[in-house]
Amino acid sequence: MKTYKNFIDGKWTSSCSKKTFCSLNPATERPIGSFQDSSKEDLDLAVTSAEEALSSWTDTPAPKRAEILFKIVELLKKDKERLAKIEVIEMGKVYKEAAGDIQEAIDIFEYMAGEGRRLFGHTTPSELKNKFNATIRIPVGVVGIITPWNFPIAIPSWKLAPALICGNTIIFKPSSYTPLCGIELIKILNEAGLPKGVVNLLTGSGERIGNPIIKHPKIKGISFTGSVETGKFIRKNAELKKVGLELGGKNAIIIMEDANLDLALEGVLWGAFGTTGQRCTAASRVIIHEKVAKTFEKMLVNKTKKLKLGSGIMHNTDIGPLINKSAVEKVDYYVNLGINEGAKLLYGGKPGKIKGFFYCPTIFSNVKPDMRIAQEEIFGPVVSIIKIKDINEAINVCNNIKYGLSSSIYTENMAYAFKAINKIEAGITYVNASTIGAEIHLPFGGVKKTGSSREAGWAGIEEFSEEKTIYIDYSGKLQKAQGIE
Ligand code: NAP
């Protein structure tokens, strides 16, 4: 089995800890490689390198930095198929979704490369004569990027690309469940010609290496995607660093009585069972008008029965494995909880019969909005159907939750659609489309316990830069604002 190394100061390096850990293929439970179990000492080396690289990288004109990002785009495009296969093997999602993950990385690097010739500030009139006012963008400094396993190439890219174009240098820690994907991405960034020290990668657990990243006094910003629990910990421990948090979700699809049910069915199948339900934007609640609920339940069960569980590498697989054994146990725990809470198990409700971390797609009906299966993030292929009587009740049920990431409504009625757009407490609302499918040039993020950060599109630039205000007084005399004589 191959041993992979950290990337510090432009070199592939073993950890000072001399310890390693394994990453498993979730479809076979077999190890795919061994990785550095990094220590605080490794982090100090990486931070020193990132600090040394900062001034020269910041001084490189943004359009020149962009040339490297355009090169990254080219390399990602050339390598898309191979990277997607690695992602299937390490993370488990089906091949076409993994290819979509790589495409997202391509898109965000391309978008952010274009930003090299924008990075807009503002100009605005002064209240005084002969004075010029403007804002410019400056980098945050050395930033820490900590990412989850469910989009192991796209999510790091959503952060690396804006961080680079804004002139930051980076310490990147991928999830311990997908370190190989992180390493393959950094190999490409290195090949594209990033100067040494601009990006440093450390593998290892949240506790051993994530925690010291958050607390490191020389790291000025943290961009994190992951669970609410870790997000809270970061908020508490990052002191006065600039922090971006993209956390969990419990997203709902509302289906009104006038909805095109065939269209809604496709949306629910994709939202609930795509990526085996392991998306922060997964649709784990269906809030449906009582007039159409029974018909829709039948349609959903019929289609779900046809979904095939298996390795994501096989072309006929619809649902890949969960990420690990404890994810299977967690899903099974919630399924039993749902049954005990009085929900009706319509379909599924058991682990897959094949080797690997599989769980059957599962549908509950008669779910009450306050049941724990309708409140807590299960992060697996489980969907809860909740009946409602009208649009107001639908929106109340949708909002009766601690999270606020994505949401969707299926209706032909403009008034319903706009009510949903205006009243749903979420960072994202889709009309007649599922809860998943973000495009990289729009801001992405949530409200409430999902965190209130935004990333991607222009929000990515805001996350990884500071706005500096410039006053240029060319009057040749002391002028005081606010009319002070
Ligand atoms: P997680 O357990 O919070 O881990 C996320 C990352 O944080 C991993 O790299 C993890 O390291 C690290 N970490 C854990 N404890 C840490 C600590 N004390 N200090 C610093 N870093 C620490 O989340 P996950 O299980 O990987 O991902 C699933 C969660 O992510 C779900 O809740 C999902 O909704 C959320 N998510 C949100 C979005 C969004 O954009 N809103 C997108 C995708 C996923 P190790 O795992 O290596 O120990």
Side-chain angles (χ1 to χ4, degrees):
M1 191 169 53
K2 188 166 171 187
T3 299
Y4 295 86
K5 295 186 175 173
N6 285 333
F7 189 66
I8 300 176
D9 202 33
K11 292 185 282 291
W12 294 98
T13 320
S14 297
S15 168
C16 304
S17 75
K18 310 234 179 304
K19 290 185 192 149
T20 56
F21 65 95
C22 283
S23 168
L24 300 184
N25 177 338
T28 61
E29 303 180 31
R30 279 205 290 268
I32 61 168
S34 107
F35 299 87
Q36 304 303 312
D37 189 2
S38 309
S39 65
K40 169 80 169 51
E41 238 179 310
D42 301 312
L43 176 62
D44 288 337
L45 293 172
V47 172
T48 302
S49 166
E51 272 209 305
E52 281 170 11
L54 185 62
S55 150
S56 136
W57 182 240
T58 303
D59 289 346
T60 305
K64 288 275 164 213
R65 295 200 290 264
E67 284 173 14
I68 300 180
L69 269 69
F70 278 122
K71 180 82 185 154
I72 294 169
V73 172
E74 244 177 69
L75 294 172
L76 283 169
K77 280 184 179 164
K78 248 197 329 216
D79 226 5
K80 184 172 170 182
E81 200 179 318
R82 187 186 69 88
L83 290 169
K85 281 186 182 152
I86 289 173
E87 188 166 320
V88 172
I89 287 164
E90 190 175 44
M91 185 274 158
K93 65 177 70 173
V94 297
Y95 177 80
K96 58 185 178 222
E97 288 185 31
D101 198 73
I102 314 304
Q103 188 58 46
E104 247 181 79
I106 293 169
D107 294 343
I108 194 86
F109 272 104
E110 191 168 57
Y111 177 94
M112 291 300 168
E115 276 298 321
R117 289 191 182 269
R118 284 188 292 267
L119 288 183
F120 291 137
H122 294 94
T123 59
T124 178
S126 168
E127 61 187 60
L128 295 166
K129 282 186 188 167
N130 298 325
K131 197 174 165 205
F132 175 81
N133 295 347
T135 66
I136 59 166
R137 295 203 168 271
I138 57 170
V140 176
V142 178
V143 294
I145 290 178
I146 302 179
T147 53
W149 45 264
N150 63 339
F151 285 84
I153 291 193
I155 290 179
S157 300
W158 278 38
K159 298 178 187 298
L160 288 162
L164 288 170
I165 203 65
C166 290
N168 302 281
T169 57
I170 297 160
I171 311 295
F172 164 43
K173 187 202 101 60
S175 163
S176 301
Y177 295 107
T178 50
L180 182 55
C181 289
I183 285 171
E184 290 294 338
L185 179 61
I186 296 308
K187 271 191 199 163
I188 283 181
L189 269 57
N190 185 36
E191 196 186 331
L194 276 181
K196 70 172 185 171
V198 171
V199 173
N200 301 274
L201 167 140
L202 300 169
T203 53
S205 74
E207 204 180 309
R208 276 171 61 78
I209 193 67
N211 201 337
I213 291 177
I214 287 155
K215 295 181 179 161
H216 203 291
K218 292 189 170 161
I219 294 182
K220 303 290 186 255
I222 300 286
S223 181
F224 169 78
T225 299
S227 63
V228 170
E229 292 66 37
T230 312
K232 276 188 189 160
F233 177 85
I234 292 175
R235 171 73 75 220
K236 218 163 125 190
N237 288 280
E239 297 195 331
L240 299 177
K241 291 180 170 59
K242 185 171 187 186
V243 173
L245 300 175
E246 301 288 343
L247 311 177
K250 185 76 186 175
N251 315 288
I253 292 181
I254 296 174
I255 303 174
M256 294 307 295
E257 72 279 15
D258 64 332
N260 174 338
L261 290 189
D262 291 320
L263 189 65
L265 177 64
E266 295 303 321
V268 170
L269 287 164
W270 177 221
F273 304 136
T275 324
T276 321
Q278 301 172 110
R279 287 189 182 221
C280 52
T281 51
S284 51
R285 296 181 296 154
V286 170
I287 299 169
I288 187 162
H289 197 283
E290 58 186 10
K291 279 191 192 154
V292 291
K294 231 189 176 88
T295 310
F296 186 79
E297 282 173 5
K298 271 193 200 140
M299 291 164 72
L300 182 60
V301 170
N302 282 341
K303 275 271 184 172
T304 304
K305 276 181 185 164
K306 298 189 179 121
L307 298 177
K308 191 172 171 349
L309 240 56
S311 159
I313 217 77
M314 310 299 289
H315 287 299
N316 59 350
T317 295
D318 298 299
I319 301 191
L322 289 162
I323 187 69
N324 53 32
K325 187 163 177 266
S326 63
V328 176
E329 287 163 1
K330 180 179 173 192
V331 172
D332 206 42
Y333 166 81
Y334 274 103
V335 166
N336 288 317
L337 182 69
I339 294 166
N340 291 334
E341 283 182 308
K344 186 172 167 196
L345 182 64
L346 282 188
Y347 187 75
K350 51 184 186 299
K353 285 197 184 120
I354 45 180
K355 187 169 170 61
F357 305 126
F358 291 94
Y359 206 91
C360 297
T362 298
I363 306 167
F364 277 111
S365 71
N366 289 353
V367 176
K368 302 286 168 253
D370 289 329
M371 287 178 178
R372 282 182 58 197
I373 53 164
Q375 288 287 325
E376 296 172 22
E377 190 183 42
I378 301 173
F379 226 54
V382 180
V383 64
S384 293
I385 302 178
I386 305 169
K387 287 192 207 88
I388 45 88
K389 289 189 170 58
D390 58 32
I391 183 74
N392 290 329
E393 191 185 357
I395 287 171
N396 284 341
V397 170
C398 185
N399 289 342
N400 171 30
I401 200 90
K402 66 181 178 181
Y403 300 103
L405 183 51
S406 189
S407 56
S408 142
I409 183 166
Y410 282 82
T411 181
E412 300 295 310
N413 180 328
M414 290 281 276
Y416 286 169
F418 272 93
K419 194 152 206 175
I421 290 169
N422 292 320
K423 297 288 180 196
I424 290 179
E425 296 164 359
I428 306 165
T429 297
Y430 291 88
V431 177
N432 292 329
S434 191
T435 49
I436 60 185
E439 297 178 35
I440 61 87
H441 54 294
L442 281 97
F444 180 91
V447 298
K448 306 201 294 194
K449 288 247 159 67
T450 297
S452 54
S453 310
R454 292 290 178 276
E455 61 184 1
W458 61 91
I461 298 298
E462 282 162 6
E463 181 177 9
F464 286 100
S465 63
E466 303 282 11
E467 224 174 351
K468 183 173 197 179
T469 304
I470 312 296
Y471 297 108
I472 303 173
D473 191 324
Y474 52 97
S475 68
K477 58 186 179 193
L478 174 65
Q479 300 198 86
K480 298 176 184 164
Q482 289 83 44
I484 299 169
E485 291 297 323

